[in-house]
Amino acid sequence: NFCELYTARRDAMLESLDAYFPKSATWTKPAGGFYVWVTLPEGVDTKAMMPKAIAAKVAYVPGTAFYADGLGSWSMRLSYCHPTPERIREGVKALGAVVKKELSSRAGYQLN
């Protein structure tokens, strides 16, 4: 059943975001669909951060792709429709490390 398949993948993503992303990040908790919208602290440029994520073998769509006026640079869309729950956990863990490193490189930012 596809509903059960995608529910398990969504839950793996949400649980992994809770476990591996900084507490200053927020995200949607979708009731359906294939994506989670993640918002990082303002000032993080997810488009500029993309090469670091790719080096960590993960990818996302920067939030700027969804705004006509260039906003959304601190947001990203993550997909959970294709990878297995195990791969989702691995990917979110790797991406969380990239995000935390990006935040820690900002002067005066404290990870929590």
Side-chain angles (χ1 to χ4, degrees), residues 1-16 80 83-86 88-89:
N1 169 326
F2 283 112
C3 289
E4 292 171 1
L5 176 77
Y6 293 125
T7 297
R9 291 175 178 182
R10 181 209 55 203
D11 291 351
M13 179 159 291
L14 294 176
E15 291 163 7
S16 298
Y80 56 83
T84 64
E86 295 76 23
I88 290 169
R89 288 182 190 95

Side-chain angles (χ1 to χ4, degrees), residues 18-25 41 100 103 109-112:
D18 277 332
Y20 300 117
F21 263 56
K23 301 301 177 211
S24 56
K100 287 176 178 178
L103 289 172
Y109 188 83
Q110 297 290 320
L111 286 176
N112 52 3

Side-chain angles (χ1 to χ4, degrees), residues 20-34:
Y20 300 117
F21 263 56
K23 301 301 177 211
S24 56
T26 60
W27 48 86
T28 59
K29 292 164 179 67
F34 303 114

Side-chain angles (χ1 to χ4, degrees), residues 37 62-73:
W37 185 260
T64 53
F66 302 96
Y67 288 84
D69 56 7
L71 292 175
S73 64

Side-chain angles (χ1 to χ4, degrees), residues 46-60 90-91 94-95 97-98 101-102:
T46 58
K47 191 172 181 182
M49 190 176 68
M50 178 67 83
K52 297 171 187 172
I54 290 171
K57 300 184 181 183
V58 290
Y60 54 84
E90 292 169 11
L95 184 56
V98 171
K101 187 172 183 182
E102 190 76 11

